[in-house]
Amino acid sequence: MQRLHNKVAVVTGASKGIGAAIARRFAAEGAAVVVNYASSRQAADTVVADILHAGGQAIAVQADMRDAAQVAQMFARSAEVFGRVDILVNNAGVYDFQPLENLTPDLFQRHFQLNVYGYLLAIKEAVPHMRDGGSIINMSSTVTEFGPAQSSVYTASKGAIDGLTRALATELGPRKIRVNAIKPGVVDTEGVQAGGFLHTDFGPRITAATPLGRLGVPDDIAPAAVYLASDESAWTTGETITLAGGHR
Ligand SMILES: NC(=O)c1ccc[n+]([C@@H]2O[C@H](COP(=O)([O-])OP(=O)(O)OC[C@H]3O[C@@H](n4cnc5c(N)ncnc54)[C@H](OP(=O)(O)O)[C@@H]3O)[C@@H](O)[C@H]2O)c1
């Protein structure tokens, strides 16, 4: 039995990395998936094509998750095509590690506009389309626990996600809408590659300190998203699942 049969999921930032793996896994578990992207149309179309080829249902919808009008339009389109929304995965995120002396309003805004305001906006716009029993999953990070150097702005934005996850679990509980978070450790994605993280000693240092001896891959994260999206986690809200090979 597919664990997300008959459910409709919106996955933000699903053109690449962790979001793309979650979109593919959700579709394999029977969900109809909205593959959100900002600029990588071709990559989003490839994720959709793979899902359709495998017999699943998906559409790609462009929306900058920092823009209220575009976010509202994306949920309206999702509801128009698939009838409603059952699952929201707030995954789109930015990470630009910089030392404290490089703090600028732009660095702060880039992180908080997408990683915090964008998550709140998506939840605000998703909830009216959700039936009681929906599931919201926010992508946090283990940086809030191990606090790497030069990550203060990014880590602050992920700490905010932990806080809003708890608060909205309380607020939306009466409607039986669950709000949980996932904290991945370092996962080898397009974003991590483009950011050059693995070209410094950052990757080897994390790997050496990881009990399971390797960095993550996107498919290490997707099964936890399936669990939190499915009815198997029906009594779980305001919680965080950490997936980091044992690294803290
Ligand atoms: N990778 C890691 O080690 C790691 C660890 C812990 C937590 N995380 C978190 O996991 C999430 C995904 O990380 P990742 O490494 O898979 O990311 P990634 O490879 O950099 O991909 C980022 C995704 O977000 C989308 N995106 C960027 N800006 C957007 C915007 N304004 N509106 C809508 N979509 C936007 C991108 O779409 P376009 O390409 O179309 O712009 C892309 O699909 C992030 O929240 C990140 O903080 C990652």
Side-chain angles (χ1 to χ4, degrees):
M1 174 70 180
Q2 291 176 305
R3 294 151 79 199
L4 302 179
H5 177 68
N6 229 4
K7 295 197 191 275
V8 178
V10 175
V11 183
T12 71
S15 57
K16 294 177 189 159
I18 294 170
I22 291 173
R24 288 191 169 94
R25 187 69 67 110
F26 276 12
E29 291 287 354
V33 183
V34 175
V35 174
N36 160 257
Y37 67 99
S39 57
S40 303
R41 177 171 184 174
Q42 203 177 349
D45 284 345
T46 299
V47 174
V48 169
D50 290 349
I51 289 171
L52 298 180
H53 184 71
Q57 297 180 74
I59 56 169
V61 180
Q62 194 275 336
D64 182 333
M65 295 306 296
R66 301 168 297 186
D67 183 305
Q70 293 186 33
V71 172
Q73 272 170 18
M74 179 184 71
F75 284 105
R77 173 97 179 111
S78 311
E80 180 186 292
V81 176
F82 294 126
R84 61 179 190 281
V85 175
D86 301 296
I87 301 157
L88 165 64
V89 181
N90 259 328
N91 166 79
V94 62
Y95 39 89
D96 181 4
F97 281 29
Q98 294 291 339
L100 185 60
E101 60 265 29
N102 288 356
L103 176 67
T104 59
D106 174 67
L107 185 74
F108 181 84
Q109 288 298 340
R110 271 194 290 126
H111 284 83
F112 277 75
Q113 277 291 118
L114 178 60
N115 298 5
V116 184
Y117 180 64
Y119 280 35
L120 289 164
L121 257 184
I123 296 170
K124 179 185 173 204
E125 294 298 336
V127 163
H129 296 287
M130 279 185 163
R131 298 182 297 194
D132 290 2
S135 175
I136 295 165
I137 300 163
N138 296 321
M139 206 54 69
S140 177
S141 169
T142 52
V143 291
T144 60
E145 293 173 23
F146 80 99
Q150 308 194 342
S151 78
S152 57
V153 174
Y154 173 65
T155 297
S157 75
K158 291 297 182 181
I161 290 169
D162 295 352
L164 71 87
T165 297
R166 290 288 308 169
L168 288 172
T170 307
E171 187 167 330
L172 299 175
R175 280 204 50 199
K176 308 288 177 271
I177 294 174
R178 301 178 297 106
V179 188
N180 293 290
I182 293 175
K183 283 185 190 291
V186 179
V187 179
D188 189 351
T189 63
E190 287 91 327
V192 164
Q193 291 285 351
F197 290 92
L198 305 183
H199 301 128
T200 66
D201 70 343
F202 183 75
R205 272 194 293 114
I206 300 291
T207 303
T210 299
L212 292 181
R214 65 171 175 85
L215 301 182
V217 295
D219 277 330
D220 288 322
I221 310 304
V226 171
Y227 170 69
L228 289 175
S230 77
D231 296 339
E232 292 169 5
S233 58
W235 206 46
T236 301
T237 196
E239 302 291 355
T240 300
I241 296 180
T242 297
L243 301 149
H247 179 257
R248 290 292 183 282

